[in-house]
Amino acid sequence: MIVPRIEIDLQAIEDNARTLVTRLRARGIEVTGVTKATLGSPEVAKAMVRGGVARIADSRIENLEALREAGVRVPLTLLRAPAPEWADRAVACASTSLVSDPGVVAALSAAAGRRALNHRIVLMVELGDLREGVMVAEALDLARSISRTHHVTLAGIGTNLACRSGVIPGDEQMAALSALATTVTGKLGVAAPLVSGGNSANLAWALGNGRVGRVNDLRLGEAILLGIDPLTRMPIEGLRQDAFALVGAVIESLDKPSQSWGLRGQMAFGAVPSSRERGTIIQTIVALGRQDVDPDGVTPSAGTTVLASSSDHLVLETPTRMVAGEEVRLGLNYSALLRAMTSPFVYERLVQRSGAVAAPRAQMA
Ligand SMILES: *Cc1c(COP(=O)(O)O)cnc(C)c1O
């Protein structure tokens, strides 16, 4: 079978989605499934939908267009506000956008008007992580202005924590968001606002013992795809961590010294890592590189370690000499998954529990 390829177990994704949807439903929270780490894969989105997510969201307009094209029928949300010149394509493919800037609201309004549409806006609020979001003190004014803008509807409010600064979503932030939701309901007459509390980093809070308040939605990517809590990078109990594997082929496997020799400057990607003299080791090269995967985010099988990587070579230490063409399977973290799904050199193999193989992204021979 062709290499390198990423194997995607759609059943694992469906199972993870269903588990999270069930647990969060008990807390009054719906799940928006986030596909951006899979380049907006329609098959992944459909697995999430089978698992019960209410909506699908992605940060890229091209990905949402592909999902629409592929017949994903649930409402689509644009996670990253569109630049004004993208507003037309945004309103054409998404029903809802997360927005924090009045200029983007104006562009969406104009674009929706031209298409005789109404576009839903979730106003993003800054609660300390310092990525997107209007400051709380200014949120009501901007919410009011959105509610008075033609061709857009103020659908609710949201926030995003952890992604930029690692700020942990907790009772304090979620209470602030709930309080703002109450104000927006009371002052602007938004009856049942979407209150989108955050991403996978919110799960520990959402499934804990605290009060969820008015939070009624979480946008989940990493937790569904990898079964991992992004705050700790630990497995979430009851979820599967085996939905993705990257498979590459051995192109050299030789006994070599553990230390390089000769005068040394910088290597291809910056500073030279120091290596300990350990005598002769078995060094195995896999035909995968930084163009295809983040080498710091791969997990080889027990006994094998990643020694180094350059654009196109992944250098491993393996317990035994391997045969050229032999396959090496690697587990992936979020960063490695994102890179692998984005590399045009990595083929895709979709696997169901039944063993069925579905259509490829890149053509698979
Ligand atoms: C990426 C993203 C998410 C999903 O993040 P995960 O950590 O993968 O759950 C949610 N909301 C926004 C705004 C995002 O950009």
Side-chain angles (χ1 to χ4, degrees):
M1 204 174 297
I2 198 159
V3 278
R5 64 178 184 271
I6 186 161
E7 300 201 335
I8 308 178
D9 184 336
L10 296 171
Q11 190 65 50
I13 292 167
E14 178 181 334
D15 292 349
N16 283 356
R18 184 172 293 109
T19 301
L20 289 167
V21 165
T22 306
R23 288 182 189 174
L24 287 166
R25 185 184 292 136
R27 302 276 280 162
I29 296 175
E30 286 188 332
V31 174
T32 298
V34 175
T35 50
K36 69 188 185 207
T38 67
L39 206 66
S41 158
E43 298 305 326
V44 167
K46 287 174 184 173
M48 289 180 174
V49 171
R50 287 195 296 277
V53 304
R55 290 166 288 275
I56 292 287
D58 200 290
S59 45
R60 307 274 174 166
I61 287 167
E62 292 94 327
N63 291 353
L64 292 177
E65 288 172 345
L67 293 173
R68 266 284 168 264
E69 191 84 355
V72 173
R73 297 269 170 261
V74 296
L76 299 182
T77 296
L78 180 59
L79 287 177
R80 184 184 66 180
E85 65 181 89
W86 285 77
D88 188 61
R89 283 172 70 175
V91 301
C93 67
S95 56
T96 307
S97 295
L98 310 188
V99 180
S100 51
D101 185 282
V104 175
V105 174
L108 286 169
S109 163
R114 281 194 296 275
R115 287 180 177 263
L117 290 170
N118 196 279
H119 193 70
R120 290 159 48 85
I121 289 185
V122 173
L123 176 61
M124 294 299 277
V125 181
E126 175 62 69
L127 291 176
D129 197 56
L130 291 181
R131 206 180 68 178
E132 75 274 40
V134 64
M135 297 294 283
V136 172
E138 277 129 50
L140 188 60
D141 280 350
L142 184 50
R144 183 179 291 113
S145 129
I146 293 168
S147 70
R148 290 175 182 167
T149 302
H150 290 301
H151 314 301
V152 297
T153 302
L154 178 63
I157 60 172
T159 195
N160 195 72
L161 295 162
C163 284
R164 182 198 150 177
S165 309
V167 171
I168 299 171
D171 287 336
E172 194 183 322
Q173 291 89 352
M174 294 301 107
L177 193 66
S178 285
L180 189 61
T182 301
T183 309
V184 166
T185 308
K187 298 224 160 139
L188 306 179
V190 181
L194 188 77
V195 184
S196 189
N199 54 55
S200 296
N202 281 62
L203 273 174
W205 167 82
L207 297 173
N209 300 318
R211 289 167 41 85
V212 298
R214 300 192 58 146
V215 173
N216 56 22
D217 172 74
L218 289 183
R219 311 175 303 271
L220 303 181
E222 182 164 2
I224 296 176
L225 299 172
L226 297 179
I228 293 286
D229 179 342
L231 286 176
T232 58
R233 302 283 172 201
M234 294 295 286
I236 298 171
E237 183 257 309
L239 296 191
R240 295 176 57 178
Q241 285 78 41
D242 61 350
F244 296 89
L246 183 62
V247 182
V250 170
I251 53 169
E252 176 189 302
S253 186
L254 297 171
D255 290 16
K256 288 201 182 183
S258 52
Q259 275 194 316
S260 51
W261 63 94
L263 283 175
R264 295 192 306 179
Q266 292 222 336
M267 59 157 194
F269 288 86
V272 187
S274 60
S275 60
R276 210 163 35 88
E277 167 52 46
R278 295 180 291 122
T280 299
I281 60 169
I282 300 167
Q283 181 177 298
T284 297
I285 300 179
V286 174
L288 274 173
R290 289 177 190 248
Q291 277 203 56
D292 311 301
V293 71
D294 176 356
D296 298 324
V298 301
T299 313
S301 60
T304 296
T305 53
V306 177
L307 294 175
S309 71
S310 54
S311 309
D312 313 297
H313 295 76
L314 184 66
V315 183
L316 305 177
E317 179 177 350
T318 51
T320 52
R321 287 273 284 269
M322 297 181 75
V323 178
E326 211 175 312
E327 292 190 347
V328 172
R329 287 180 80 83
L330 302 163
L332 302 171
N333 74 5
Y334 192 78
S335 169
L337 172 64
L338 190 69
R339 187 94 57 92
M341 290 298 300
T342 314
S343 169
F345 302 104
V346 175
Y347 292 77
E348 188 175 285
R349 176 167 183 258
L350 302 168
V351 188
Q352 293 276 12
R353 186 171 286 158
S354 60
V357 177
R361 168 171 55 103
Q363 292 311 307
M364 212 166 87

